[in-house]
Amino acid sequence: MFDPVIAPSGTLLGLLQRGRGDGTLHALTAPRSEALAALDHCVLNDPRHDWQVENRSLYYARLYLDLHGGLGEIEGHLFGAEDVLDTDDSRTGLALAVLGHLASYGRQDALELLRRYAAFGSNWAWALDELALRDDDAGLRALAAPVLARFAPDAEGEADLAAAVRDAYEPRPWSLWEADPRPDIGARVRAAREQGSFDRWQRQMRPAGPRPEWSVQAVLDWAQEGLERGAVLYVPAARCLAAVAGPEDRPEILTAARHGSDGARGTALRYLADAHDPDVLDLIEYAAEDPSHVVVEAATAAFERMRSVAAVERARCWAYRPDALGAAAGRMLACRGGAQDSKLVLAALREAVRGEGPDAPTLWTLVDGAGRLGIACAAPVLRHVYRETASSHLRGRAARALAATDPSFAAGFAVECLWDCEESTREVAARHAETGDARVVNRLRRLASDPAEEDDVQDAVRSRIGPDAPAV
């Protein structure tokens, strides 16, 4: 999947793509046709950089309800010719998740679309998972025949069916079908479940990788072999090293950390950092200047895991470095530094935004650090990250940091955060939004009564409007 193209943050499309609360508020005041066109574009062209962790489906489903939007564009997207040519989950997953939420709100047209796609669409397993949470038993039983017809009645088809039953995210449909009295349904699903259990048992009986009797060198070689295959194994290899290495092996591990192959160096550095070896900081500094980016990444990752006073003191020295180790030192201080490190963390935050933009991965830790340390001077940078980042998770972190650093947050961004796509951001807003705005009170009441809302959000709302809460 290609990285999505995100519109400017000041446009309606850009706001909706980011999942910002202001996107909903602007859509509700824009011409309905324009708002629905932007909404359809977002649902049919997933705007998330990481669709597995960022939330949009409930946010878009609620907007379809508020705009009384039809589902014709989604139907065309699901059943178009491209569904046969591009079967990647990311093409249809967001649309199916939106339909799932709409079905839970009582939209019968969404439920029917999900049923039809589960029967005939390429990403049928996702649709079936959505239905498992929302459909009744009769609706699920009716899908047994068309779903099982996807699997040929030969050895390959039965193996694929066993894998589908074994790996199903929601087991409810398969459990219903297993009890079906028809031999081509119930008996077939029961046989597939038994085969899946047998396959899992066989995998457990044939474990791959290091054994307790392996030597230190064998573990280091295994890590390097994995790297040559394209698998970075120094993290599990370091755990294996902790199981097989003794005090007498320390010289060999120190040598590997300084002069070994890339896989061996990453493993040794991770092991030594976890063990708080007295020489590991010098070895990390040496590795950070290596031309191999694999070694540099392993060294900085190992350093950031350390929690010793010596590591924090070294971070204060390294924070001025203009390289990966300097950036790692800034993140270390953001996580574990004290008030005296505020200037260094602020400098790292500003440099990251200036050099890498508002979506830089390093910002996640630095934004949290600015909030943890209560760096009031960071508020302008945090507001910029909040507005411009395409990551709804990073925006949520910026909101939490602003709640701790920006006195204007309660009457400003906290209000729009009540409509944000991320439940953790809505929770922050529910605890901080100033209730002098009538929109805030109405929104809090709606969130409190919405059965699709997360428990943590509703708990935060009740703390503001419950019987024991101050009057709003």
Side-chain angles (χ1 to χ4, degrees), residues 324-344:
L325 187 56
R331 294 191 294 270
M332 165 75 78
L333 296 176
C335 291
R336 301 180 181 89
Q340 69 271 31
D341 302 308
S342 294
K343 290 184 178 179
L344 291 175

Side-chain angles (χ1 to χ4, degrees), residues 43-44 46 48 57-58 61 64 71 74-75 77-79 83 87-104 110-119 121-131 133-134:
V43 173
L44 307 188
D46 194 335
R48 296 170 292 181
S57 54
L58 180 59
Y64 271 113
L71 304 180
I74 293 180
E75 181 178 11
H77 178 72
L78 293 179
F79 293 99
D83 190 58
T87 59
D88 193 284
D89 287 356
S90 61
R91 193 190 80 84
T92 53
L94 178 57
L96 294 171
V98 168
L99 291 177
H101 284 299
L102 288 173
S104 69
L111 184 64
E112 293 296 338
L113 261 183
L114 279 174
R115 288 171 174 170
R116 187 150 62 93
Y117 190 81
S122 294
N123 194 9
W124 61 272
W126 192 312
L128 189 61
D129 285 339
E130 296 291 340
L131 289 167
L133 299 174
R134 280 107 181 174

Side-chain angles (χ1 to χ4, degrees), residues 107-163:
R107 286 280 296 259
Q108 188 65 26
D109 54 347
L111 184 64
E112 293 296 338
L113 261 183
L114 279 174
R115 288 171 174 170
R116 187 150 62 93
Y117 190 81
F120 303 108
S122 294
N123 194 9
W124 61 272
W126 192 312
L128 189 61
D129 285 339
E130 296 291 340
L131 289 167
L133 299 174
R134 280 107 181 174
D135 208 352
D136 55 27
D137 287 355
L140 291 175
R141 289 193 179 102
L143 290 171
V147 168
L148 292 182
R150 295 174 177 276
F151 303 95
D154 54 21
E156 183 179 353
E158 297 303 333
D160 291 341
L161 176 58

Side-chain angles (χ1 to χ4, degrees), residues 26-92:
H26 279 65
L28 295 176
T29 59
R32 182 170 174 272
S33 59
E34 178 185 340
L36 284 174
L39 177 57
D40 285 335
H41 183 279
C42 291
V43 173
L44 307 188
N45 303 276
D46 194 335
R48 296 170 292 181
H49 285 284
D50 190 346
W51 61 272
Q52 293 180 308
V53 298
E54 292 189 47
N55 295 314
R56 292 291 189 282
S57 54
L58 180 59
Y59 172 84
Y60 293 143
R62 283 170 167 168
L63 191 50
Y64 271 113
L65 291 176
D66 291 339
L67 294 173
H68 304 287
L71 304 180
E73 293 295 324
I74 293 180
E75 181 178 11
H77 178 72
L78 293 179
F79 293 99
E82 193 175 356
D83 190 58
V84 179
L85 303 174
D86 182 1
T87 59
D88 193 284
D89 287 356
S90 61
R91 193 190 80 84
T92 53

Side-chain angles (χ1 to χ4, degrees), residues 9 35 38 183 200 202-203 207 263-264 309 312 319 350 390 411-412 419 426-427 465 470:
S9 61
R200 187 178 295 111
Q202 281 190 317
R203 288 201 305 270
V309 173
V312 174
R350 287 171 172 166
W419 285 265
R426 296 195 296 275
E427 180 187 354
I465 65 174

Side-chain angles (χ1 to χ4, degrees), residues 204-458:
Q204 292 171 347
M205 293 298 292
R206 293 195 302 265
R211 304 286 199 280
E213 68 272 13
W214 277 28
S215 65
V216 167
Q217 188 59 51
V219 174
L220 298 176
D221 291 343
W222 177 68
Q224 179 59 26
E225 289 167 4
L227 186 61
E228 292 170 358
R229 296 194 309 268
V232 180
L233 298 177
Y234 62 80
V235 175
R239 291 198 295 267
C240 295
L241 208 57
V244 304
E248 69 280 2
D249 297 308
R250 181 173 179 266
E252 181 181 359
I253 297 173
L254 290 174
T255 300
R258 182 175 288 274
H259 301 299
S261 62
D262 287 1
R265 292 184 74 182
T267 300
L269 288 169
R270 182 66 168 246
Y271 167 82
L272 293 169
D274 290 348
H276 298 287
D277 189 278
D279 291 336
V280 69
L281 292 171
D282 292 334
L283 289 168
I284 286 173
E285 186 172 23
Y286 178 75
E289 299 175 357
D290 195 89
S292 170
H293 73 277
V294 173
V295 173
V296 173
E297 288 179 4
T300 55
F303 172 64
E304 288 186 65
R305 285 176 54 83
M306 299 183 70
R307 289 166 172 77
S308 64
V309 173
V312 174
E313 291 176 349
R314 191 69 69 95
R316 292 179 179 129
C317 300
W318 289 344
Y320 299 96
R321 294 173 59 123
D323 60 4
L325 187 56
R331 294 191 294 270
M332 165 75 78
L333 296 176
C335 291
R336 301 180 181 89
Q340 69 271 31
D341 302 308
S342 294
K343 290 184 178 179
L344 291 175
V345 173
L346 177 59
L349 176 64
R350 287 171 172 166
E351 180 59 31
V353 173
R354 183 165 50 245
E356 302 179 57
D359 291 313
T362 191
L363 286 175
W364 291 49
T365 304
L366 295 174
V367 164
D368 286 349
R372 182 181 73 85
L373 296 172
I375 307 174
C377 295
V381 183
L382 294 172
R383 287 194 289 266
H384 173 76
V385 172
Y386 177 95
R387 292 189 190 97
E388 299 301 327
T389 182
S391 167
S392 53
H393 274 197
L394 179 55
R395 182 177 63 251
R397 289 170 180 258
R400 288 190 287 277
L402 284 168
T405 60
D406 186 1
S408 68
F409 176 73
F413 285 140
V415 175
E416 75 154 281
C417 285
L418 289 170
W419 285 265
D420 197 87
C421 66
E422 296 290 343
E423 63 265 20
S424 58
T425 307
R426 296 195 296 275
E427 180 187 354
V428 171
R431 297 190 185 282
H432 293 91
E434 202 169 86
T435 54
D437 189 329
R439 295 177 303 170
V440 171
V441 177
N442 292 334
R443 182 61 175 173
L444 289 174
R445 288 172 176 159
R446 180 172 176 179
L447 292 176
S449 61
D450 190 334
E453 190 51 79
E454 296 291 334
D455 291 342
D456 289 344
V457 178
Q458 293 191 327

